[in-house]
Amino acid sequence: MTTTLRPAAPHDIAELRQLYFEVYGHGYPVALGSDPTEMHRLITDPHSHWLVARRADTGELVGSVVVQTDPGNRLGKLVGLAVHPEHRGGGLAGRLTGAVTADAFATGALDSIHTTVRLVTQAPQRVVARNGYRPLGLLPNAADVSGCETLALFACYAEGVLERREQVTAVPRELLPLLGAAEESIGIPYTGTLALPAPVPGTDRPLPQLGGIGSTGGTALAEAPPGTLLTAPAVTHAEPRTRPRTRTPMEVITAPGFVRRRFRELFPDPAGAYSPLRTPNTVLASPDGEFEIYADLDRAAGSCALVAVHPHPWAATGALDSLMTVLGRAGADYVETLVPLSDTAGLYAFLASGFVPSAGYPAMRRVGDRFHDYVLLSRTDRQIDFRSTAVGPLVRPYQSAYLTAWASIYLPPHEVVR
């Protein structure tokens, strides 16, 4: 079968919706496969790249793939890869992936493109890996597609990006398995990164240098713009397995238009809240106005990404347990957040609240001519079951790293057998 690839057009929307239904049924949790308004917006967005595949003989639409981009942060995300069930096995998924990735990088506006792949089979992992994408980690229970599924994170880089990474010399011990997996799987050098001494209860840690990600000498936390990141200051560290659980009253506002307007008012500078390809649609706030947490809540996928906090990064540090409870009631069993690898206090804050290092993103953020690594931490209150996942050899080190980190956070030492 011969197929031709071309950019998607608005008149393709009806056939695209049918394609995604044929591939995923009613369970596809992404609006670009079901919402005509969102599909039209993406197709006509000059910064998006949407390709479709049609049979040369009949003109039938048999494949689709999209790269959404965030030009300001120079990042892209490959989503919506679909090939009609009757036309699989001929390499079409690989052709679509390679073509749309090349188109997106050809603009010169992107430093990296990332994607998540399902682990129901190893085929999606092989498709993206053959087109230059490198595995970065696992996201357990991250999406409700055909039940609760674990996804794998991959990324592809423009030439020269990984060679201009800023090195981090020491990290919390719980991150070492993840960094070791990155070194084993894709050769990212973390050999010289040391484990920080475990925090002593009752003592303070240094303030996180939030400005350090974009400055030469580092900017003290007090000088950073309000709400720069959802991270914490120096706080007493308690192990998640023994920490006291606190319950902070919290209200949920799910009015997307209002949330977007207020977010832009509070964070007018895009650098003030690093949230590439994320638009907050939900606010979680304390009744007394002490803090407002901005999040991207996806009820269809059963997931949520934490984006920023107002009035300052550490205002909601003690509310993360309550946050999980509230988001669970709102339909999100999986919560994730991005933290700079260099933000020690931020990492400790989430680790102390049961978040597990799930994936690394080397050279994610560009500042000047240098690139900075980020860590994705996640927490799920559902039981994690890896028995149904088809984890390929490139991803397997990350599965082992996740299990090691999870055990170190949630199991008493005498229960961990090595």
Side-chain angles (χ1 to χ4, degrees):
M1 177 192 69
T2 303
T3 56
T4 58
L5 308 186
R6 64 167 180 77
H11 60 73
D12 295 324
I13 290 176
E15 289 180 275
L16 283 166
R17 294 181 70 195
Q18 182 61 33
L19 172 67
Y20 284 103
F21 175 78
E22 293 286 347
V23 174
Y24 296 103
H26 292 291
Y28 192 56
V30 180
L32 68 84
S34 58
D35 183 344
T37 301
E38 176 64 9
M39 296 170 78
H40 187 277
R41 184 191 71 79
L42 281 173
I43 288 173
T44 56
D45 180 358
H47 301 297
S48 294
H49 305 264
W50 193 329
L51 294 182
V52 297
R54 289 188 177 274
R55 287 186 55 159
D57 53 354
T58 66
E60 177 189 3
L61 195 151
V62 295
S64 171
V65 69
V66 186
V67 168
Q68 299 172 269
T69 70
D70 182 340
N73 288 306
R74 298 182 60 83
L75 287 177
K77 182 177 183 181
L78 187 148
V79 293
L81 177 61
V83 174
H84 194 281
E86 296 180 0
H87 300 280
R88 293 175 182 165
L92 182 55
R95 283 184 60 206
L96 283 164
T97 300
V100 78
T101 301
D103 283 355
F105 277 131
T107 65
L110 300 180
D111 296 315
S112 67
I113 301 171
H114 64 278
T115 188
T116 55
V117 302
R118 300 173 70 193
L119 298 178
V120 289
T121 71
Q122 291 189 26
Q125 301 163 62
R126 290 194 291 264
V127 166
V128 295
R130 288 169 182 165
N131 284 281
Y133 286 79
R134 307 170 183 228
L136 302 181
L138 288 179
L139 313 179
N141 293 352
D144 191 354
V145 185
S146 297
C148 192
E149 292 191 14
T150 292
L151 306 178
L153 178 67
F154 284 74
C156 185
Y157 294 88
E159 185 176 355
V161 168
L162 290 173
E163 289 71 32
R164 289 180 281 159
R165 294 171 48 246
E166 286 291 334
Q167 297 297 319
V168 176
T169 58
V171 299
R173 185 175 300 276
E174 293 89 341
L175 268 71
L176 291 184
L178 175 63
L179 303 189
E183 191 159 22
E184 177 183 351
S185 180
I186 57 176
I188 296 294
Y190 285 112
T191 305
T193 304
L194 305 176
L196 290 167
V200 178
T203 62
D204 288 340
R205 293 188 299 276
L207 294 176
Q209 299 294 310
L210 298 185
I213 196 167
S215 61
T216 55
T219 303
L221 180 63
E223 299 171 355
T228 300
L229 291 168
L230 185 60
T231 54
V235 293
T236 299
H237 176 70
E239 288 294 329
R241 51 181 171 258
T242 60
R243 72 186 189 279
R245 293 198 175 244
T246 58
R247 289 289 174 257
T248 303
M250 201 173 298
E251 298 173 342
V252 182
I253 303 171
T254 54
F258 166 79
V259 172
R260 285 193 297 269
R261 290 194 301 273
R262 182 160 176 80
F263 182 75
R264 286 194 292 265
E265 291 171 0
L266 297 176
F267 303 95
D269 181 1
Y274 184 61
S275 55
L277 296 163
R278 291 286 190 182
T279 301
N281 58 14
T282 302
V283 173
L284 301 105
S286 60
D288 59 7
E290 183 179 354
F291 62 81
E292 295 178 7
I293 300 173
Y294 286 81
D296 183 6
L297 174 63
D298 188 341
R299 296 178 188 271
S303 66
C304 182
L306 307 182
V307 174
V309 63
H310 179 81
H312 46 68
W314 57 94
T317 300
L320 291 177
D321 278 324
S322 298
L323 178 90
M324 292 298 302
T325 301
V326 171
L327 287 174
R329 292 172 183 163
D333 296 304
Y334 168 88
V335 181
E336 68 180 37
T337 189
L338 277 171
V339 179
L341 183 60
S342 59
D343 183 3
T344 302
L347 293 169
Y348 273 126
F350 283 100
L351 291 168
S353 293
F355 281 73
V356 181
S358 302
Y361 200 134
M364 183 177 192
R365 189 175 189 179
R366 181 173 185 166
V367 181
D369 195 43
R370 304 295 293 175
F371 292 87
H372 300 262
D373 296 358
Y374 271 67
V375 178
L376 188 149
L377 299 103
S378 68
R379 178 170 160 178
T380 175
D381 288 341
R382 285 191 186 184
Q383 180 178 341
I384 300 171
D385 188 352
F386 285 132
R387 290 175 298 178
S388 60
T389 58
V391 176
L394 286 175
V395 179
R396 200 164 293 128
Y398 293 105
Q399 184 180 45
S400 177
Y402 183 88
L403 292 171
T404 300
W406 187 95
S408 71
I409 292 171
Y410 282 98
L411 295 183
H414 66 272
E415 294 186 13
V416 180
V417 179
R418 300 189 182 279

